[in-house]
Amino acid sequence: FEQVKVFLKNVIDGLNVGPNATRVGVVNYASRVKNEVSLKTHRTKAALVRAVSKIEPLSTGTMTGLAIQFALNAAFSEAEGARAKSPDDNVKEVAQRARDAGIETFAIGVGRVDMTTLKQMASEPLDDHVDYVESYSVIEKLTKKFQEALCGKMGESPMFAVRGSSKETLVRDK
């Protein structure tokens, strides 16, 4: 148990800890679960290390499933200091409502993007509606593809969602 605490302290030493930086929480478990360090409690690295050094082992047993459920429901909740959910959390639902309204959606990822989210936004077939480019400077290489895809669809209202690492979201009706 002491070796695990040393490991945690070493990990913490390499972090930029703070309310607007990395937040750390520690859940201790055995046959029961205890939230030892809340995400919102310690605002400095030194305070966090002190809190970790005071953690004591619980009883025997390993209720790992219970601990993960606790972390999911309690330890990583906004009430315990988790960051507020992004307004993009309902992308799948909103994109489905757009598709249900007859809007054909093309999703273009730029830079570091989550391909799963792009696929949730796009219309079917995904091969025709999901694209990726490395940077905004090369996005023009998709121009011909979209000109061809949109030929003959002037009566429809496609939507382009461009998501990238340097710009959050750009949606444009054409």
Side-chain angles (χ1 to χ4, degrees):
F1 193 83
E2 291 303 314
Q3 288 176 315
V4 171
K5 289 185 350 183
V6 169
F7 167 76
L8 286 174
K9 290 177 198 175
N10 289 338
V11 169
I12 292 166
D13 279 341
L15 302 175
N16 178 17
V17 175
N20 296 317
T22 303
R23 300 176 193 178
V24 176
V26 179
V27 174
N28 189 2
Y29 72 97
S31 58
R32 64 186 180 95
V33 179
K34 182 178 179 188
N35 196 18
E36 296 282 1
V37 176
S38 173
L39 291 168
K40 67 181 180 182
T41 306
H42 301 288
R43 301 170 82 77
T44 67
K45 191 182 298 190
L48 186 56
V49 168
R50 280 192 302 275
V52 167
S53 68
K54 294 177 184 176
I55 296 174
E56 294 293 327
L58 298 175
S59 58
T60 60
T62 52
M63 299 295 288
T64 307
L66 180 65
I68 293 170
Q69 189 65 51
F70 177 86
L72 181 64
N73 293 341
F76 290 99
S77 66
E78 285 184 47
E80 287 298 315
R83 297 184 205 290
K85 288 188 174 30
S86 163
D88 290 340
D89 283 347
N90 62 357
V91 164
K92 186 176 181 179
E93 273 178 42
V94 174
Q96 185 60 54
R97 287 198 308 264
R99 289 189 300 271
D100 291 345
I103 298 171
E104 183 176 9
T105 306
F106 294 85
I108 304 167
V110 181
R112 290 185 349 184
V113 295
D114 176 18
M115 291 304 288
T116 301
T117 302
L118 289 178
K119 291 174 182 177
Q120 290 173 347
M121 292 188 297
S123 295
E124 295 282 344
L126 295 178
D127 286 345
D128 294 339
H129 291 86
V130 177
D131 284 282
Y132 170 81
V133 292
E134 299 78 26
S135 67
Y136 287 98
S137 64
V138 293
I139 200 167
E140 71 277 353
K141 75 181 187 178
L142 297 174
T143 303
K144 184 173 178 153
K145 174 186 177 174
F146 287 107
Q147 286 171 339
E148 291 172 1
L150 297 173
C151 275
K153 295 186 178 191
M154 298 313 264
E156 297 178 17
S157 180
M159 175 171 48
F160 290 84
V162 180
R163 296 180 59 84
S165 56
S166 63
K167 293 184 181 175
E168 199 51 39
T169 303
L170 169 69
V171 177
R172 182 180 81 217
D173 279 335
K174 181 172 181 177

